[in-house]
Amino acid sequence: LSDIYFVSEGSSSKQEDGKSYYANPETIVSLTFETSEPLSEVTVTINAGGTAGNQLGRFPAVDNDPVTLTKLREEGGGDLEKWKAIYTMTTASDDNGGAGYEIPFSIAFTDLNAYGGETVTETTDLKYVTFDKTPPEVQTFEYVSSNDNTTLAKSGNTITATFVATELIQQPVMEISDTRNPPTVGNTDATWTMANEMDGNDSEGQVAVEIVSFKDYAGNEGTGTTETTNDTYITYDITDPVLRTVSVSSSNNYSSNTMARAQDVVSIIISTSTSIITGEEILEPTVSMLGSADNVTVSPETADATSDDQWTATKTVISTHDNGPVAFNIVVYDLAGNGPVEATAILNDANGNVQ
């Protein structure tokens, strides 16, 4: 025998150079071979000698387990006799606990003079069909933002989702914020990533992420999901923060805290909130007052916080500071990095003077 090839005819299984070597239940596997002379008898088995309990296919058929054998070409004109055997795999076959198992076959044959050839169990290209009936599952599904805070995103940030399956899979369909980009493979076909750059067309709020569909090499379909495995989600924010309170006061009690002299401390309260509105948290503001940002201390309302809705900037007056209204400049960004928002005047309060 020559030109012995064993392939899967499954349309949903992984393809290699136009051929597939993976099968799941109800998939037809085909075995083709050529002979150097006409044959009087051929016996073909597919899926015999594998894991105990596997469904056996035979030709000639025995006990309703048929392999269909067809002569594709007669010998003659320089051509060899060509045969094709097909068999449909079933759920009765084991798949090695989902790891897959290589489907065995054998071809025994006799020529017209009753001479038997050596039984064949190997293909010409040493490629074989693997049977797998177990659907793949999601092992890891997470996503992060390129923002400094990986759970927040603003316009221009890239969100990257990573999907790790329990086995090797074909390219999945993934979606971030209603956008589907072709995922790229990782170290193996079990790991895939998809990236999406956020822009003005995306809606603010929690960024939707989804594994839309995926299937293993044999074509078994897994169950998609919109939930991450680490229960962490990204919030998309493209709105600049709003400063609602900027007030200036002095530690000088003799002037109702509206005047200051050398060694008094001038304080500026910076807040996105009011008594009736709770604003968003902002990062530590950049504050310049009394001529410069030197010796300005900025502290959150909540001790040791790295973000807060209210901050206080303080600076001690010295004799070289100019007399007059306290000039200041405040620059703030929200946690996603939206901004800058600047303030140079008070909101809801009176300004102080350096005396």
Side-chain angles (χ1 to χ4, degrees):
L1 301 187
S2 62
D3 291 343
I4 307 159
Y5 299 106
F6 191 32
V7 298
S8 165
E9 296 187 0
S11 59
S12 63
S13 54
K14 179 179 174 62
Q15 303 292 310
E16 298 178 11
D17 298 325
K19 298 178 181 179
S20 175
Y21 300 96
Y22 300 90
N24 62 5
E26 307 308 318
T27 296
I28 294 174
V29 293
S30 67
L31 178 64
T32 58
F33 56 94
E34 296 183 357
T35 65
S36 59
E37 59 181 291
L39 302 179
S40 63
E41 184 178 335
V42 181
T43 300
V44 177
T45 65
I46 295 178
N47 208 30
T51 306
N54 279 351
Q55 184 71 36
L56 169 64
R58 289 177 281 192
F59 178 87
V62 178
D63 297 332
N64 298 315
D65 55 3
V67 165
T68 301
L69 182 64
T70 304
K71 185 186 291 187
L72 301 180
R73 185 178 63 216
E74 297 283 354
E75 181 193 26
D79 291 326
L80 301 180
E81 198 170 72
K82 186 172 184 178
W83 298 78
K84 179 179 182 180
I86 62 173
Y87 178 67
T88 302
M89 300 298 295
T90 72
T91 56
S93 293
D94 185 42
D95 65 351
N96 194 22
Y101 111 99
E102 193 174 279
I103 303 171
F105 71 87
S106 67
I107 308 170
F109 55 98
T110 304
D111 66 14
L112 298 180
N113 295 315
Y115 290 112
E118 184 177 349
T119 299
V120 173
T121 59
E122 293 185 350
T123 62
T124 300
D125 58 4
L126 299 179
K127 292 184 178 181
Y128 302 90
V129 178
T130 297
F131 177 71
D132 178 8
K133 64 180 180 181
T134 304
E137 297 179 355
V138 176
Q139 178 173 299
T140 302
F141 184 42
E142 301 173 352
Y143 68 152
V144 295
S145 168
S146 62
N147 193 287
D148 290 340
N149 185 328
T150 59
T151 62
L152 294 174
K154 64 177 183 177
S155 183
N157 286 159
T158 297
I159 294 178
T160 303
T162 300
F163 167 32
V164 181
T166 53
E167 61 176 293
L168 302 179
I169 60 173
Q170 301 178 61
Q171 187 181 59
V173 178
M174 299 169 64
E175 186 172 281
I176 299 174
S177 189
D178 297 325
T179 297
R180 297 182 183 183
N181 294 324
T184 56
V185 68
N187 293 331
T188 72
D189 281 0
T191 301
W192 297 81
T193 59
M194 176 197 155
N196 180 49
E197 183 176 323
M198 305 296 285
D199 58 29
N201 295 319
D202 296 298
S203 300
E204 285 193 299
Q206 181 174 303
V207 178
V209 63
E210 181 178 6
I211 300 172
V212 179
S213 62
F214 66 105
K215 55 189 175 183
D216 63 18
Y217 281 6
N220 299 300
E221 294 189 2
T223 301
T225 184
T226 58
E227 297 181 356
T228 62
T229 52
N230 62 354
D231 200 32
T232 298
Y233 298 89
I234 296 171
T235 299
Y236 183 51
D237 180 4
I238 56 175
T239 303
D240 286 344
V242 176
L243 285 179
R244 295 183 174 88
T245 300
V246 176
S247 62
V248 183
S249 64
S250 166
S251 63
N252 188 312
N253 295 323
Y254 298 103
S255 63
S256 300
N257 307 111
T258 62
M259 304 287 287
R261 62 181 182 178
Q263 302 308 311
D264 287 341
V265 176
V266 175
S267 300
I268 303 178
I269 294 177
I270 305 155
S271 180
T272 61
S273 301
T274 66
S275 60
I276 60 174
I277 298 175
T278 300
E280 68 175 312
E281 292 189 358
I282 55 176
L283 299 171
E284 180 178 319
T286 300
V287 181
S288 173
M289 56 192 295
L290 293 167
S292 72
D294 296 339
N295 302 312
V296 175
T297 300
V298 182
S299 305
E301 182 179 31
T302 304
D304 300 322
T306 57
S307 63
D308 210 334
D309 69 327
Q310 181 169 307
W311 295 77
T312 300
T314 60
K315 186 171 184 176
T316 300
V317 179
I318 59 176
S319 60
T320 56
H321 287 147
D322 294 335
N323 289 329
V326 173
F328 59 84
N329 181 265
I330 300 166
V331 179
V332 301
Y333 293 85
D334 67 15
L335 273 61
N338 293 302
V341 172
E342 295 189 50
T344 57
I346 60 171
L347 297 170
N348 300 332
D349 212 327
N351 204 349
N353 289 313
V354 177
Q355 182 71 20

